[in-house]
Amino acid sequence: MKIAVFFPGIGYHCDKPLLYYSRKIVEELGYDKIITLSYSYDGGNIRGNVEKMKAAFEALHSQATEALKEVDFSEYDEILFVSKSVGTIIASAYAHSHKINCTQILYTPLEYTFDYPHSKACAFIGTSDSWSDVDKVIDKARVSGVPMHSFENLNHSLEGDDVLKNIEILNEVMALTRSFLSDLSNNATQ
């Protein structure tokens, strides 16, 4: 049995492109249970404010923990966490604190995401991501052993100014996501 949990960002819910289409891929790959989390934080803009980021993390982590309290992860052979932005910190912290051995897809991770170990993960970031010190995030991913796919001149949603180009990029990100997950599944069955 396989389970996938989706951890959104604050303003980037599970029906936005990266999480919506990755969820479709997960469905195609035969995951038995899919959980899409939603949480809220009304503390205002947290970008660049360490104290507000910490408060947001604590509030969202608590909400995610509450939402997942009935899930018995030991029932599943494969566990996947797919996350976006601050959700990458929440997913990583949750996996670490609950000792869950899972695969992770990290869309536009923040620096603090890599304060937690990742045994099987891949990440995606745009070089114009205003939520991150992109070079620092890429370096922390490298040190953590997490492959990072970076995209030139894209923002925190992995988008630029050209809509049709954004669709091409989304296609590339989803192809990389599918390939990563398929490779893991193939290696698990060998």
Side-chain angles (χ1 to χ4, degrees):
M1 296 242 311
K2 303 193 293 186
I3 185 172
V5 182
F6 287 76
F7 294 79
I10 291 175
Y12 200 99
H13 54 76
C14 288
D15 285 331
K16 293 239 180 168
L18 293 169
L19 297 179
Y20 175 83
Y21 286 107
S22 59
R23 191 169 71 246
K24 294 297 184 186
I25 287 171
V26 166
E27 288 170 359
E28 287 179 2
L29 293 174
Y31 279 75
D32 303 287
K33 183 164 182 73
I34 296 173
I35 297 171
T36 56
L37 298 179
S38 66
Y39 29 66
S40 61
Y41 179 72
D42 58 5
N45 188 355
I46 64 172
R47 183 175 19 190
N49 185 318
V50 174
E51 288 306 312
K52 280 188 174 185
M53 179 68 83
K54 184 175 166 79
F57 165 78
E58 289 171 1
L60 301 178
H61 187 269
S62 176
Q63 290 173 50
T65 300
E66 179 65 22
L68 296 172
K69 71 180 181 185
E70 301 297 324
V71 179
D72 182 359
F73 286 99
S74 69
E75 294 179 354
Y76 297 93
D77 304 311
E78 288 183 41
I79 302 166
L80 171 64
F81 286 178
V82 180
S83 55
K84 169 74 173 82
S85 185
V86 72
T88 65
I89 306 171
I90 308 303
S92 300
Y94 184 87
H96 180 71
S97 65
H98 289 82
K99 297 178 178 29
I100 296 172
N101 181 18
C102 62
T103 298
Q104 292 198 49
I105 304 290
L106 307 165
Y107 293 122
T108 65
L110 303 178
E111 178 182 342
Y112 303 110
T113 302
F114 300 101
D115 289 350
Y116 304 94
H118 297 87
S119 60
K120 297 172 288 202
C122 74
F124 300 82
I125 197 165
T127 61
S128 295
D129 187 332
S130 62
W131 276 81
S132 296
D133 177 333
V134 174
D135 291 335
K136 187 181 279 186
V137 171
I138 290 171
D139 188 57
K140 284 188 133 197
R142 183 189 54 75
V143 168
S144 297
V146 175
M148 175 69 78
H149 302 279
S150 64
F151 293 84
E152 288 298 315
N153 303 315
L154 298 186
N155 65 20
H156 193 57
S157 296
L158 292 180
E159 296 177 338
D161 295 331
D162 183 329
V163 174
L164 294 179
K165 182 70 175 164
N166 291 341
I167 293 170
E168 290 174 20
I169 292 162
L170 180 63
N171 181 59
E172 182 179 350
V173 170
M174 290 304 114
L176 289 165
T177 298
R178 180 195 299 270
S179 177
F180 175 74
L181 293 174
S182 294
D183 288 349
L184 282 174
S185 289
N186 291 339
N187 289 338
T189 58
Q190 292 179 357

